[in-house]
Amino acid sequence: QVEVVESGGGSVQAGGSLTLSCVVSGYTYGDHCVGWFRQVPGKEREGVVSVYTADGRTHYTTSMKGRVTASQDSAKNTVFLQMTSLKPEDTAVYHCAVTPPRRYCGSPEAFEYNAWGQGTKVTVTT
């Protein structure tokens, strides 16, 4: 059974930085998409970036483009999301998710991901 666990959330002042981690276990790491999403209560889940674990290629959406960098440590089955220049409107629960095996990762769409973590909360204060 695939397990996804996020960590690294917290409270940070506007303009600050935070790095989130996503550890995936229970499957052979490779040929999957790992996506980062965020959700504000009352709003739809929004994709931030996808990472193709076979080669580390990334696909960023416009939601945080230019302020986030996704990377992976394959040896540790971990995907990171480095966030900079954070704004109060970035306050949300950030989720990591994994797709079944596939050959390509495009823009992260929630319906394509079948294993989700519980999320880690990020609060950006003024």
Side-chain angles (χ1 to χ4, degrees):
Q1 182 175 348
V2 178
E3 184 178 20
V4 181
V5 179
E6 308 96 333
S7 63
S11 182
V12 62
Q13 286 191 324
S17 301
L18 211 56
T19 298
L20 308 181
S21 299
C22 172
V23 179
V24 184
S25 61
Y27 79 130
T28 302
Y29 194 81
D31 298 338
H32 297 258
C33 303
V34 174
W36 280 102
F37 299 80
R38 62 181 185 176
Q39 189 164 25
V40 176
K43 294 188 177 181
E44 288 191 7
R45 194 164 292 186
E46 179 183 46
V48 177
V49 62
S50 67
V51 179
Y52 188 44
T53 58
D55 57 18
R57 281 181 293 178
T58 54
H59 189 119
Y60 295 91
T61 68
T62 59
S63 63
M64 299 184 76
K65 195 171 186 177
R67 298 189 294 121
V68 294
T69 302
S71 61
Q72 65 172 351
D73 183 340
S74 300
K76 297 182 178 180
N77 288 8
T78 302
V79 172
F80 303 98
L81 183 67
Q82 182 179 6
M83 305 185 293
T84 62
S85 302
L86 285 164
K87 307 173 183 179
E89 50 264 44
D90 294 321
T91 294
V93 176
Y94 286 72
H95 293 270
C96 181
V98 182
T99 65
R102 57 192 305 169
R103 297 182 179 182
Y104 171 76
C105 296
S107 183
E109 299 288 345
F111 72 89
E112 296 180 320
Y113 292 74
N114 64 350
W116 291 80
Q118 292 298 311
T120 185
K121 187 172 183 180
V122 172
T123 303
V124 184
T125 61
T126 56

